[in-house]
Amino acid sequence: NKIPGISCASPSGSFYVFPNVTALLGRSHAKGKIKDTLDLATFLLEAGGVTTIPGEAFGAPGYLRLSFAASKEVLKRGLEKIQDALSQLS
């Protein structure tokens, strides 16, 4: 929730979250525009090296699915990579 453009409810009993990323849709980067969460997931993979799943795969457009079945260290680094990649958007 500290990353601008992302809001996320706390999970209850799972190992993944569905952050709302609708505020990031429509933004641009060097290779184009983020039209949907598939574009955003592709951008995060290419620009940040982070794998996410588009919400459309779960009937949740405007959301990404992120797993947190990893150590706190790995999760922290992943969130840093997401934040760094998103700083490239205008």
Side-chain angles (χ1 to χ4, degrees), residues 12-32:
S12 56
S14 65
F15 57 89
Y16 56 86
V17 291
F18 277 99
N20 182 328
V21 294
T22 55
L24 300 172
L25 304 181
R27 293 198 176 171
S28 299
H29 56 92
K31 294 184 179 179

Side-chain angles (χ1 to χ4, degrees), residues 1 3 5-6 9-11 17 20-21 23-24 26 29 35-36 38 40-44 58 64 69 76 82-83:
N1 286 321
I3 299 174
I6 297 179
S10 295
V17 291
N20 182 328
V21 294
L24 300 172
H29 56 92
K35 298 181 298 285
D36 53 27
L38 178 58
L40 183 56
T42 301
F43 171 75
L44 290 172
F58 302 95
L64 291 175
K76 182 179 178 188
I82 289 172
Q83 188 167 15

Side-chain angles (χ1 to χ4, degrees), residues 42-67:
T42 301
F43 171 75
L44 290 172
L45 180 60
E46 292 175 353
V50 177
T51 302
T52 61
I53 306 295
E56 282 84 352
F58 302 95
Y63 291 79
L64 291 175
R65 181 177 171 173
L66 304 175
S67 171

